[in-house]
Amino acid sequence: MKVLMFGWEFPPHISGGLGTASYGLTKGMSKIPGMKIKFVVPKAYGDEDQSRMRILGANDVVIDRRLINHETFLREIEYIEINSKIVPYTDPDEYYTAVREAETTGRSFVFTNFSGKLHFTGKYGSNLYQEIADYAVVAASLAEKGDFEIIHAHDWLTFPAGIAAKRVSGKPLVIHVHATDFDRSGGSVNPAVFDIEMKGMRIADKIIAVSNLTRNTIIEKYGIDPEKVVTVHNAVEPLHEAEKLVLERNMDDKIVTFLGRVTLQKGPEYFVEAAYKVLQKMDNVRFVMAGSGELLNRMIMRAASLRIANKFHFTGFLKGDDVYKMFSLSDVYVMPSVSEPFGISPLEAMQSNVPVIISHQSGVSEVLQYALKVDFWDIDAMADAIYGLLNYSALSDMFKVYGKEEVENMKWENAALKVNEVYKSVI
Amino acid sequence: MRTICLYFQIHQPFRFRRYRFFDIGREHYYYDDYMNESIMRKVADRCYLPANKIMLDLIKKHEGKFRVAYSISGSAIDQFELYAPEVLESFKKLAKTGCVEFLSETYSHSLSSLTNRAEFEKQVGKHRQKIKELFGVEPGVFRNTELIYSDEIGAMVADMGYKGIITEGPKHVLGWKSPNYMYYNAINPKLKVLLKNFKLSDDIAFRFSDRSWAEFPLTADKFASWLKALDKNEETVNLFMDYEAFGERQGVETGIHEFLKAFPSAVFKIAKFSFSTPSQLIESLQPIAPVHVPNAISWADEERDLTAWLGNELQWQAFNKLYELREKVESVGDPRLSKDFEYLQISDHFYYMSTKYFSAGENFSYFNPFGSPYDAFINYMNILSDFEIRLNSSSVSDNDPEVSRLRALLDEKESLIIQYAEQLKKKAVKKTPAKTTSKKTPAAKTKSVAAAKIKMEPAKTTGKKTIKK
């Protein structure tokens, strides 16, 4: 089967959940016999000189086409980069510098965060829709020439491209929803984004949701026929040897970690409050908030006003190896997300033998048995779970052993097979 | 004449409230009164009261030919007394008919038979006493928590003077043999063993209202015809089940009460069986063979083993931790601590921590007040931590490393003070004796007084705390 896939970044430029997921899935699919994927991504990073190019139409678009062959792939896949101003997401630190730069130099720059939420930088915001439309035009031109049987588009920024490709080629469209605007915005959706999402979902022949949670959102909030929406849970890449870092402990204190963007969606404030409760009862424990984001300063203030700052540490944004170093130092990992369509990071923690506490409001809670689950707002339960994992060794021992086993059984190959079934159902 | 032995288990656990770690050392009340009361009231109204009324009517109607046996756990009796005393009254009425036998068990429906003989005997004794008080009879037959049985447990029960015990008759123990005979314990042949016919028991207790079951709907006549079809040489059909099956697990609307009402007549008319209590069977039947049970069995799940209560690391840690405290509880002898210790042993707490129902899902949540086995474990361990703190503060002994450390410290300081005082004396003698001694000794005195005060303190606080409780 030949697939035209509109995705996001590819290694080495991976910066978050969506990129990890589409990469993992593509990798898993490359192992299915007869599967050929043409992978199209917007090529635009904050450090590029965007003023050099203007996208007017398909003929003017600069397209890099190359064949890549990752060591992990069985077959090489065709990888196409389209120069576009759409930046799917970038890490928050880059974001701050990039926005400042964009404002001072007058360059056109649009930021979206990890899960694709837009941050309009004032005067440039209105151009984004033009960009997306232009990207769709390119998609259409690709589709015209293309040799494929199915179109697969990841998240809303690529939906117009998917729709355009479907219109031109008449081939079935599968859209993959990693997050909806309801997750990103906490309820106050952006009407323009909602409109694009809605169009994509209506025109698509099948919709893949990353969890039942997301599937329900699609059915309830977007009014899509339940028959059309299929859940394919994400998986996780096995750890590379090089990533299995073991860092020497430099203190006897237990460490409880929050790792992720410090934004409303991730629920960092509940972590701080739970930390306070635990620290009332235990002394030999430290809390770490790794990540940055718009709520970071408020969290620092809150920790200070609770007088736990000597036991509560902020690391800023962690990249690459540092993430695994952080895991190797952690005794408990907490993901108190308010709304998490899936949430791959607890799986990564479990790979590193760290017991996890996740919120019921995350898609990943649907697939994990060896994890403690609490409501994100229930700080008493969260604190109790942290205390339990730190003090009752049978529980953490059990999670370390069985949790790792559980995660190791979650393979992208299996997710890929399910996606393949979805393809077969629409052809 | 072939016979049926009907036995019903009645048990309600004292469910714990949500006990967070920040309650440790502060809150010493562990029970969810609201949940315990509302569940007890619900089950009493739907099951215990109507079922007891049916039983009483049946006994009267059949003029002594219909007989049943019950075992009521101590924690259920405690809850009847608290929340539904009329249920106890109805059991007393049943007891007066003389057609009802009450069996012995552990007071708190515990797993103590698996770990601590002294505790086991104590609890059985307490339960025995309670049954005698309430119903005026001394039980002669034993049934262990959840029908847990092994050769050793049987021998232990025989030593305690029981003539018989009832347990599960699982396939992996019996093989080709039939549960429809009386057996005896493999270690002590004096103890007779009655085995549950799990097929026919579960047909009523579990499958009665199952619409996907090929035999649905089950009527008393149909059941009696199955009995009739059994091998003519078989002696007894032991139907052992939860009493809660009648109106609670099988809801009133399924017609289970009507089934029960029609059951004895159908059995007499169609199958020509009689009804016997376990004691009657032990008197009348000849045991045919020993039953070998080297590894403990129970009546739970397909496996009929202990994995529902002691299957994973969480359960084992909680269980071992609990029984480690037993000696201290005994030595302190505080009635409130002893009561809590009893309720901490209720087997249901360990059942809530089971991870074996992950695939079964629903079945589990019905019984479990906790969202997950982990919640159950954390909650239990928090309570146990508080319990241990209370226990330790009531029993300060030299064995406690903290206390002996403090004591050593005091002794050391004491000896230093004496040493200094003597040195001062010597110096004072050398110089101007009268002046210095009068000057320095008071200081030394106050020091040793202070030390004495410190020494008093642990004992003092302990005293206070004990009084408080």
Side-chain angles (χ1 to χ4, degrees), chain A residues 347-360:
Chain A
L347 304 182
E348 292 171 341
M350 287 163 83
Q351 283 182 323
S352 305
N353 290 323
V354 184
V356 300
I357 299 167
I358 54 180
S359 67
H360 283 299

Side-chain angles (χ1 to χ4, degrees), chain B residues 345-405:
Chain B
Q345 292 183 59
I346 298 175
S347 65
D348 303 63
H349 301 311
F350 301 98
Y351 182 79
Y352 302 148
M353 299 173 202
S354 176
T355 43
K356 68 186 282 197
Y357 303 99
F358 275 163
S359 46
E362 279 171 64
N363 191 14
F364 182 56
S365 58
Y366 170 78
F367 296 106
N368 195 343
F370 294 97
S372 79
Y374 315 126
D375 286 353
F377 172 76
I378 291 176
N379 210 64
Y380 187 85
M381 293 305 280
N382 286 345
I383 289 173
L384 203 55
S385 304
D386 181 72
F387 181 76
E388 196 179 1
I389 289 170
R390 284 166 63 202
L391 197 60
N392 287 338
S393 64
S394 310
S395 69
V396 178
S397 69
D398 289 326
N399 298 341
D400 194 316
E402 182 66 10
V403 173
S404 50
R405 193 180 63 81

Side-chain angles (χ1 to χ4, degrees), chain A residues 233-234 236 333 335 342-351 354-360 362-373 399 402-410, chain B residues 358 372 374:
Chain A
H233 286 107
N234 283 341
V236 66
Y333 175 80
M335 185 181 79
F342 189 78
I344 273 180
S345 65
L347 304 182
E348 292 171 341
M350 287 163 83
Q351 283 182 323
V354 184
V356 300
I357 299 167
I358 54 180
S359 67
H360 283 299
S362 66
V364 72
S365 71
E366 293 164 17
V367 291
L368 286 182
Q369 295 284 16
Y370 292 98
L372 281 169
K373 298 166 197 175
F399 279 14
Y402 297 104
K404 187 161 186 159
E405 197 178 296
E406 186 173 33
V407 172
E408 274 165 6
N409 286 328
M410 297 169 71
Chain B
F358 275 163
S372 79
Y374 315 126

Side-chain angles (χ1 to χ4, degrees), chain A residues 10-22:
Chain A
F10 235 59
H13 289 288
I14 282 215
S15 52
L18 181 53
T20 316
S22 53

Side-chain angles (χ1 to χ4, degrees), chain B residues 131-346:
Chain B
I131 295 297
K132 202 182 164 192
E133 263 170 42
L134 287 172
F135 307 117
V137 287
E138 286 226 34
V141 176
F142 191 78
R143 73 128 245 167
N144 200 10
T145 306
E146 308 290 342
L147 300 192
I148 290 170
Y149 177 80
S150 68
D151 293 340
E152 273 89 29
I153 292 171
M156 192 158 72
V157 169
D159 289 348
M160 290 158 71
Y162 289 96
K163 293 171 289 176
I165 189 167
I166 65 170
T167 185
E168 177 64 73
K171 277 213 177 86
H172 72 267
V173 167
L174 286 175
W176 55 270
K177 289 182 235 165
S178 159
N180 303 340
Y181 294 95
M182 190 162 76
Y183 292 81
Y184 58 87
N185 178 262
I187 297 172
N188 189 339
K190 278 187 193 155
L191 185 84
K192 310 296 183 292
V193 183
L194 295 170
L195 303 175
K196 173 184 152 192
N197 184 318
F198 69 82
K199 198 262 163 197
L200 290 172
S201 301
D202 293 353
D203 281 344
I204 300 172
F206 290 95
R207 289 181 280 272
F208 181 78
S209 62
D210 181 0
R211 282 167 189 278
S212 61
W213 183 35
E215 300 294 345
F216 182 88
L218 180 63
T219 61
D221 287 359
K222 189 192 272 183
F223 195 87
S225 70
W226 293 345
L227 292 173
K228 193 185 176 190
L230 289 173
D231 189 325
K232 292 276 182 283
N233 291 323
E234 293 191 324
E235 295 170 322
T236 175
V237 174
N238 300 326
L239 301 177
F240 302 162
M241 53 199 98
D242 291 322
Y243 207 30
E244 290 81 16
F246 296 90
E248 178 59 25
R249 181 151 10 84
Q250 310 293 342
V252 180
E253 68 286 351
T254 62
I256 190 84
H257 287 157
E258 278 59 40
F259 175 85
L260 191 57
K261 282 176 198 162
F263 186 67
S265 313
V267 167
F268 291 135
K269 210 173 75 193
I270 299 170
K272 311 244 185 310
F273 271 53
S274 66
F275 286 89
S276 306
T277 63
S279 287
Q280 286 178 314
L281 289 183
I282 287 162
E283 292 300 318
S284 60
L285 297 183
Q286 277 300 314
I288 56 158
V291 58
H292 291 278
V293 188
N295 300 314
I297 55 168
S298 80
W299 71 356
D301 311 321
E302 281 301 302
E303 301 89 341
R304 317 275 166 180
D305 60 8
L306 303 179
T307 49
W309 303 278
L310 294 171
N312 66 32
E313 295 86 338
L314 307 181
Q315 294 166 317
W316 275 110
Q317 191 178 52
F319 181 77
N320 290 334
K321 184 88 196 150
L322 174 70
Y323 283 99
E324 269 170 29
L325 302 178
R326 201 240 163 201
E327 221 167 287
K328 250 186 201 167
V329 176
E330 283 296 299
S331 70
V332 170
D334 180 306
R336 290 196 64 170
L337 284 171
S338 300
K339 196 77 200 162
D340 285 335
F341 186 63
E342 235 169 52
Y343 291 158
L344 275 161
Q345 292 183 59
I346 298 175

Side-chain angles (χ1 to χ4, degrees), chain A residues 375-390:
Chain A
D375 287 314
F376 70 85
W377 45 263
D378 195 348
I379 49 174
D380 284 356
M382 197 184 297
D384 209 27
I386 294 170
Y387 184 87
L389 278 172
L390 294 179

